[in-house]
Amino acid sequence: MRRTPTHLSRTRLRLGVALLAALAVGAACASAGKRLEQGVQLEQQGRPADAAARYIQALKKDRTLTEAGARLQQTGDQAMGDFLREADADAQAGRYADAADALGRLDALRADAASVGVQLAVPADYPTRRRATFDRASDQAVAMASSAMSARNYPEAVRWLDRASRQWEPGPAVRGRLDQVRYDALYGWAESEMSAGRYRSAYERAGAAATLGLGTAGAAESLQREALRRGTVRVAVFPVGTTPSTRNRLPDQVLPALNRSLSVDFWRRPPQWIDVLDESDRGGYGRGAIEPSEGARLGQRIGARLVVVMALDSLRQTEGEVVTQRRTARTRSGADTAYTVREGRLDTWARVTWRVVDASGWGSVIDQGSATARSGAQFRKAEYKGDWRTLELPMSDRVLFDEGDRGYGRETVRELVDGLADEIGRDVFNALLRRID
């Protein structure tokens, strides 16, 4: 039978897939063998738990490695004995948390071995010993947390309680005791943060205490509300203005559209901790950008602690893919003449620089950044060396001479405004939140 090119391609594809599969199997086997070798070396070094971990890795890659299974059974049993002896020694020394951690490592090894089909045995009384050790470790965590609270080390207290809740499987009674001490630690931590003027931290700690659902949650919620009241910062935001380098190059519609977008999408919907006095849509400021010192003065007048001033300070337009066409025309006086129609792509790039100002000082800038946006659109316009208004032209050509928008079509304005507003709003709010403890 004559083989067609399609038939040959399919044959080659099947062979390629088979080769890749064989290579993958070979790589897995090589990797599994390497893990087996590492396990043997660790076993010879007297590290049965680490050796068992390598044998488990080898079996996960290749279940047919019977040697790895046999060695896992042997080293796993040795490791189990080591963990039990370690836990007993820690418990006898009163280190119940360390004893519980040793049993936790034992449990993890048993589960990993079972996942590859190897069962590691424990003594018949292990469940009882384990439960008793975990409960004593939880009691120790409560004692250590109480001691840390007496020293006003609330983070350390919470770490102990988290450790007990996460690792030692407390029953309902023990969990209730842990939760009560956790509430006391979190509430004390929140009060400490309030006294230090770290209101956001106080709010978070009080909120965590309230979520425990204890009968004292009302006090935590009240503390949380007070932290929010004290910590909220009043910020005056003034409109984006222009600088001398951009003032006469920017069409009238860009700044109003940008300030309106910022006002509607951001300044009227500030995040928690920020109270915005939106000055962006009020008259009386003109098109020029407000300087930091002037912003501070205006902010003081309306009771703001911080002020945001912004300037559209850079603007570039570049043309590309331009095609030029010469057209004849006649002036109203009857003279023959010509004008040029140019078509192409107009790329516009704009930058707004924003500054966060301390209104209580002399207009010192405490944070700043910039936002940029780019837009591209097709353009078509006409040029004439003289006064184009003297030409006899159809209306379709007369509109090509209108330079009122300087190439800023509706789509260009929209793209610039959307890009700038999103970046300004996000970055300014992030900068303001960084100033709030």
Side-chain angles (χ1 to χ4, degrees), residues 103-172:
L103 297 185
R105 293 193 294 276
L106 182 153
D107 292 339
L109 178 58
R110 285 189 75 200
D112 288 343
S115 71
V116 292
V118 176
Q119 303 300 321
L120 300 179
V122 291
D125 65 344
Y126 176 72
T128 302
R129 293 169 59 184
R130 179 178 183 273
R131 182 68 269 161
T133 301
F134 279 10
D135 287 345
R136 287 171 181 166
S138 297
D139 290 340
Q140 188 174 59
V142 169
M144 295 301 292
S146 299
S147 176
M149 283 191 289
S150 298
R152 300 180 66 83
N153 189 349
Y154 301 106
E156 178 66 12
V158 172
R159 277 194 290 272
W160 270 103
L161 299 167
D162 284 344
R163 185 179 175 188
S165 297
R166 184 175 57 251
Q167 297 176 211
W168 301 331
E169 304 172 9

Side-chain angles (χ1 to χ4, degrees), residues 183-355:
Y183 178 91
D184 294 340
L186 289 169
Y187 191 86
W189 193 354
E191 287 187 314
S192 176
E193 295 294 86
M194 279 279 282
S195 299
R198 293 187 287 268
Y199 301 115
R200 290 181 69 186
S201 177
Y203 181 92
E204 292 172 4
R205 310 309 163 198
T211 59
L212 292 173
L214 302 180
T216 49
E221 292 170 351
S222 178
L223 181 60
Q224 196 177 29
R225 288 191 295 271
E226 181 62 15
L228 181 60
R229 186 189 69 79
R230 294 189 194 181
T232 297
V233 174
R234 176 168 288 186
V235 181
V237 180
F238 293 100
V240 180
T242 57
T243 61
S245 63
T246 60
R247 190 162 302 150
N248 297 324
R249 299 164 53 205
L250 196 67
D252 294 338
Q253 68 267 35
V254 172
L255 283 184
L258 176 56
N259 284 310
R260 185 165 53 252
S261 178
L262 284 168
S263 178
V264 172
D265 295 332
F266 293 95
W267 310 148
R268 297 181 190 176
R269 297 189 292 176
Q272 188 170 261
W273 303 102
I274 299 176
D275 177 19
V276 172
L277 299 173
D278 184 7
E279 297 290 301
S280 64
D281 58 353
R282 298 189 184 182
Y285 298 120
R287 285 168 55 92
I290 296 175
E291 293 297 322
S293 58
E294 177 67 6
R297 185 183 66 80
L298 294 170
Q300 288 177 8
R301 184 183 301 171
I302 57 179
R305 177 177 151 191
L306 299 177
V307 166
V308 178
V309 295
M310 297 169 283
L312 198 156
D313 58 4
S314 188
L315 183 70
R316 290 199 303 266
Q317 284 191 305
T318 56
E319 295 180 354
E321 305 171 5
V322 178
V323 176
T324 302
Q325 179 185 24
R326 185 175 182 274
R327 295 186 181 182
T328 60
R330 179 168 294 189
T331 66
R332 292 175 181 172
S333 62
D336 291 331
T337 185
Y339 62 95
T340 302
V341 175
R342 301 174 69 249
E343 298 182 64
R345 179 175 178 80
L346 182 67
D347 290 315
T348 304
W349 177 89
R351 181 183 70 191
V352 170
T353 298
W354 54 263
R355 293 178 175 86

Side-chain angles (χ1 to χ4, degrees), residues 399-432:
V399 296
L400 299 179
F401 286 93
D402 185 7
E403 297 181 351
D405 65 358
R406 298 181 180 86
Y408 292 81
R410 182 179 300 175
E411 186 66 18
T412 297
V413 172
R414 186 189 64 78
E415 289 181 357
L416 290 177
V417 166
D418 288 350
L420 290 170
D422 288 346
E423 194 171 341
I424 293 168
R426 181 192 68 234
D427 292 350
V428 166
F429 278 149
N430 286 339
L432 292 171

